[in-house]
Amino acid sequence: MSVVPAEVLPGSVLTVAEDAGDAADLGPRARLWPSLAAMYRAQLSRARVARIPLLFVATVQSVGIMVMMRGVVDGGGEARSIVAGASVLVVAFVGLNLLAQYFGQLRAGGGLDHYATLPVPPAAVVLGVAGAYASFTVPGTVVTAVVGCVLFGLPMAHLWVLVAVIPLAGAALAGLGAALGLLAPRPELATLLGQLGMSAALLLGVLPADRMPTVVQYGRDLLPSTYGVEAFARSFGAHPDWAFVVGDLAVCAGVGVASLAVATWAYRRAAVR
């Protein structure tokens, strides 16, 4: 059998190597915003049925707190704080508490391995899940705010402020909840941290700040949801100082960006282990 020289073969070793290199080229990396939109839709459809009962519980809980506080507070600035705090508490229950449990269980059960294989940026995973969970809070927050206004006789003219309060407070609390769930070494600890965070949002957000000790007020300033509560409470005034409202929302937005960045870092850290 004769051997044909390699240089006369149409598919020489060099040509085959070049073809293999061309075949190994990967497609362009998935962009953030399309990946984020896909993750958001997937999480929203997946959790829609499972989270509705929990949202109902969060709403009933917040309304019950306002009914209880109605027996000791008639109106004024304290009533504004109670209604605003109870409304944002719905966001804290879902965005902080449930998201901490979700990521804690996902890490413990190996679910992060599935997300790590997806050709999407880590930020898209965290933001998509956080956005989906925060979206569930919209109906409960609006219902709580309306019921609170009726209970305490507060004006409803500026309830549109919730359009900014819900996503900004939701981003801050969801980022914190995701970080707690991803950094906790065990899912039980993630659940505990989520519960403690929601309890802090309840005690420091619903109770009027001027009745708290000075040390507790400093702790209140460290809670991400505080600035959303303050912005919403200011909007109930007869002549709201919109500069302070915008300032509170800006702080809330800054905290949200920081907490989501920490959650993205925690996701990368947990996914490679």
Side-chain angles (χ1 to χ4, degrees), residues 80 155 158 234-242:
R80 299 170 189 172
H158 299 135
R234 293 180 192 276
S235 68
F236 289 123
H239 303 285
D241 192 332
W242 295 111

Side-chain angles (χ1 to χ4, degrees), residues 56-230:
F56 177 77
V57 171
T59 305
V60 171
Q61 172 185 260
S62 294
V63 171
I65 290 172
M66 291 190 301
V67 172
M68 179 181 66
M69 296 299 293
R70 182 64 180 83
V72 295
V73 175
D74 293 329
E78 294 180 345
R80 299 170 189 172
S81 298
I82 291 171
V83 175
S87 300
V88 177
L89 182 62
V90 180
V91 183
F93 181 86
V94 177
L96 199 163
N97 184 26
L98 296 185
L99 204 56
Q101 296 181 35
Y102 174 76
F103 273 109
Q105 294 171 359
L106 200 66
R107 180 186 178 188
L112 289 181
D113 296 338
H114 166 70
Y115 287 110
T117 61
L118 298 178
V120 296
V125 177
V126 175
L127 293 175
V129 176
Y133 271 69
S135 298
F136 284 108
T137 68
V138 176
T141 304
V142 173
V143 169
T144 302
V146 171
V147 172
C149 289
V150 174
L151 279 175
F152 291 94
L154 298 177
M156 300 186 190
H158 299 135
L159 287 183
W160 55 266
V161 175
L162 287 174
V163 174
V165 170
I166 292 175
L168 294 180
L173 292 169
L176 179 59
L180 292 176
L182 290 166
L183 294 175
R186 297 193 305 274
E188 296 83 4
L189 185 57
T191 300
L192 175 61
L193 293 175
Q195 291 284 353
L196 291 176
M198 192 195 68
S199 299
L202 167 61
L203 296 175
L204 302 181
V206 176
L207 298 179
D210 55 359
R211 294 194 178 187
M212 299 179 184
T214 304
V215 177
V216 178
Q217 291 183 18
Y218 289 141
R220 184 175 182 269
D221 293 338
L222 298 176
L223 192 66
S225 60
T226 295
Y227 303 96
V229 172
E230 290 292 334

Side-chain angles (χ1 to χ4, degrees), residues 19-47:
D19 293 342
D22 293 340
D25 289 341
L26 299 177
R29 181 178 176 83
R31 291 178 296 173
L32 175 62
W33 295 112
S35 302
L36 172 59
M39 285 296 303
Y40 174 81
R41 290 194 300 268
Q43 286 293 322
L44 200 63
S45 60
R46 174 183 176 276

